[in-house]
């Protein structure tokens, strides 16, 4: 057990000031939050107050109260090595280690300068491992709990990269995200709406019909599962806004627009577009018919023929599929097939870290969420 440490307890309050949005103040603000708020202001015609609480490169466990995840084996696994490292930590040891690292850095920096190359990052002093930004519960204690006195209307969430480490952590993210939302709602005493951004396309472009070892499609699926399982939780797809070599793509304006459109629809009852999600599927002979929710005025194949669909039979060996949009009972659906699969059992769409050719959209310009009809097990 870890000794009780006041530094690991929830903070009572936080210091801060409201600032009017301006070219000067917005430079240090969240781009996603700004663009979301701007769209809401334009459509609702009322002032929009935004409170940002963000820290890059962090895990969902640090934003969740420890008491609400103490029984979670994944949270325990995140915390255990930090507790172990803390046992051997002293400020004196940290200072001594920094001196050694600085000596090595100075040598490498000099070598880089001589060859006119980039200097390595300068090492910094390491603190108590239990006080770091990824220690479970820490950022909740310091950056969420102190905000509980604010009367909030809802929350937006753009995170997940740090939990997309393995297939297992990505699958479990759906449980952790739902728990975090429940814990925040408990603190505020209201079931406020929660809007999440599904992770965009990233890494090497898709090559195979299904990239079965890729991790990001699994965590994208977790966003959908968390929303389906938790009333008042929604997710917006950004599968077309990413960059292969940039984990933080620059186009935050369209992220904000899609979040705001979803908020206007779900919270304010507007008829604004939202992300199309797979609703159901049915095998009809050698074809699979996939239906969708939230298709707006209809589905389209952006740029021509539908791509990134895969189909498999009982052997679970996926091949590229033919897919076309058809109308059934007044709604658009997608019919998927392949000459190579006579008895299909499963369909997947955009199942890769970077399915850069996926092109199923609503006519309003919202890309459909990646999906699979088969069980993950």
């Amino acid at each position: 057990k870890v000794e009780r440490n006041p530094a690991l307890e929830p903070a009572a309050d936080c210091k801060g000031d409201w600032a009017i949005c301006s070219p000067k103040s917005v430079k240090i603000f969240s781009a996603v939050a700004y663009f979301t708020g701007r769209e809401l202001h334009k459509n609702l015609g009322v002032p929009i107050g935004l409170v940002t609480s963000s820290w890059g490169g962090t895990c969902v466990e640090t934003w969740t109260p420890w008491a609400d995840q103490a029984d979670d084996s994944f949270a325990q696994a995140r915390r255990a090595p930090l507790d172990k490292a803390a046992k051997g930590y002293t400020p004196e040891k940290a200072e001594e280690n920094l001196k050694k690292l600085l000596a090595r850095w100075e040598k490498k920096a000099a070598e880089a300068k001589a060859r006119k190359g980039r200097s390595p990052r300068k090492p910094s002093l390491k603190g108590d491992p239990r006080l770091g930004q990824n220690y479970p519960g820490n950022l909740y204690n310091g950056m969420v709990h102190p905000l509980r006195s604010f009367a909030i209307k809802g929350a937006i969430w753009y995170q997940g990269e740090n939990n997309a480490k393995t297939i297992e952590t990505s699958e479990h993210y759906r449980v952790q995200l739902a728990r975090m939302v429940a814990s925040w709602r408990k603190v505020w005493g209201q079931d406020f709406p929660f809007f999440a951004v599904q992770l965009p396309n990233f890494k090497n472009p898709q090559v195979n019909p299904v990239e079965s070892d890729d991790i990001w499609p699994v965590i994208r699926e977790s966003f959908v599962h968390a929303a389906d399982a938790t009333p008042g939780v929604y997710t917006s797809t950004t599968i077309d806004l990413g960059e292969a070599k940039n984990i933080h793509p620059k186009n935050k304006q369209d992220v904000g627009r899609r979040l705001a459109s979803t908020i206007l629809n779900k919270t304010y009852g507007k008829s604004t577009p939202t992300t199309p999600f797979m609703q159901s599927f049915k095998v009809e002979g050698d074809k699979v018919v996939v239906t969708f929710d939230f298709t707006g005025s209809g589905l389209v194949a952006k740029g021509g023929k539908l791509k990134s669909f895969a189909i498999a039979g009982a052997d679970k060996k996926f091949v590229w599929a033919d897919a076309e949009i058809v109308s059934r009972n007044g709604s658009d659906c997608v019919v998927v097939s392949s000459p190579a699969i006579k008895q299909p059992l499963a369909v997947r769409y955009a199942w890769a870290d970077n399915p850069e050719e996926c092109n199923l959209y609503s006519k309003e310009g919202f890309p459909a969420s990646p999906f699979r009809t088969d069980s993950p097990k």
Side-chain angles (χ1 to χ4, degrees):
K1 294 184 178 180
V2 181
E3 295 181 5
R4 185 181 178 85
N5 185 337
L8 303 180
E9 299 296 319
D13 200 356
C14 64
K15 296 180 180 180
D17 296 297
W18 289 103
I20 296 175
C21 180
S22 69
K24 182 179 179 180
S25 64
V26 79
K27 289 191 294 186
I28 58 173
F29 199 72
S30 161
V32 169
Y34 166 73
F35 287 123
T36 303
R38 187 181 72 174
E39 289 298 310
L40 291 175
H41 174 66
K42 286 165 58 178
N43 282 272
L44 297 173
V46 297
I48 303 295
L50 299 170
V51 179
T52 182
S53 184
S54 56
W55 195 317
T58 53
C59 57
V60 69
E61 293 92 333
T62 193
W63 296 99
T64 307
W66 177 248
D68 292 335
Q69 59 178 330
D71 63 341
D72 187 294
S73 61
F74 286 77
Q76 294 166 2
R78 178 81 70 169
R79 181 170 171 164
L82 298 173
D83 285 340
K84 183 177 180 181
K87 291 180 179 179
Y89 170 83
T90 66
E92 295 75 20
K93 287 182 180 179
E95 290 280 1
E96 187 62 31
N97 186 54
L98 179 60
K99 290 179 182 178
K100 294 178 182 177
L101 293 175
L102 283 173
R104 295 177 196 164
W105 174 81
E106 288 172 356
K107 182 179 179 181
K108 291 182 179 179
E111 293 173 350
K113 185 178 180 180
R115 64 174 184 271
K116 297 182 179 180
R118 174 181 284 186
S119 177
R121 178 178 295 182
K122 188 175 182 178
S124 58
L125 182 65
K126 301 296 183 183
D128 186 329
R130 294 174 300 171
L131 302 182
Q133 69 270 26
N134 270 310
Y135 190 83
N138 273 8
L139 294 189
Y140 167 79
N141 290 342
M143 299 181 70
V144 177
H145 188 82
L147 302 175
R148 67 197 184 284
S149 61
F150 286 93
I152 64 171
K153 184 72 173 180
I156 60 175
W157 176 256
Y158 191 157
Q159 183 275 342
E161 297 91 340
N162 198 276
N163 288 88
K165 299 300 184 183
T166 66
I167 297 292
E168 291 73 24
T169 60
S170 297
E171 286 181 345
H172 191 63
Y173 185 77
R174 64 197 61 179
V175 175
Q176 294 177 305
L177 184 60
R179 276 195 172 193
M180 189 198 74
V181 173
S183 70
W184 289 12
R185 287 174 168 176
K186 181 172 63 177
V187 169
W188 263 272
Q190 60 170 309
D191 288 341
F192 56 80
F194 185 94
F195 299 88
V197 178
Q198 193 186 66
L199 294 189
N201 49 313
F202 177 54
K203 303 182 184 179
N204 293 328
Q206 182 176 11
V207 174
N208 298 305
V210 163
E211 301 289 2
S212 57
D213 294 329
D214 281 5
I215 296 169
W216 280 43
V218 180
I219 200 164
R220 291 186 194 114
E221 182 183 62
S222 281
F223 280 95
V224 180
H225 274 256
D228 286 344
T230 312
V233 174
Y234 311 97
T235 189
S236 296
T237 299
T238 59
I239 197 63
D240 57 338
L241 301 181
E243 300 174 28
K245 297 182 179 180
N246 188 355
I247 198 170
H248 297 297
K250 296 181 178 64
N251 184 358
K252 298 298 192 294
Q253 186 160 210
D254 282 328
V255 178
R257 285 172 177 162
R258 290 176 187 177
L259 273 173
S261 187
T262 305
I263 293 169
L264 289 167
N265 184 300
K266 303 300 182 182
T267 300
Y268 294 95
K270 307 289 186 180
S271 57
T272 49
T274 62
T275 296
F277 292 97
M278 185 201 76
Q279 179 187 53
S280 64
F281 74 99
K282 182 180 180 181
V283 178
E284 296 183 356
D286 60 352
K287 296 177 174 60
V288 179
V289 180
V290 183
T291 61
F292 296 83
D293 278 327
F294 317 120
T295 56
S297 59
L299 297 173
V300 295
K302 191 174 182 179
K305 184 179 178 181
L306 284 176
K307 298 180 179 180
S308 294
F309 277 87
I311 192 168
D315 60 2
K316 297 184 179 181
K317 293 181 179 179
F318 283 90
V319 300
W320 291 114
D322 298 318
E324 63 175 333
I325 299 167
V326 301
S327 180
R328 293 276 186 95
N329 300 317
S331 298
D332 284 350
C333 57
V334 176
V335 178
V336 187
S337 64
S338 168
I341 307 295
K342 302 301 182 184
Q343 296 180 306
L345 290 181
V347 166
R348 295 193 187 188
Y349 171 65
W351 202 261
D353 288 336
N354 185 5
E356 62 177 8
E357 292 192 325
C358 63
N359 63 340
L360 177 62
Y361 283 73
S362 68
K363 290 180 179 178
E364 287 71 26
F366 274 54
S369 174
F371 68 85
R372 58 179 165 182
T373 65
D374 53 315
S375 168
K377 302 299 182 185

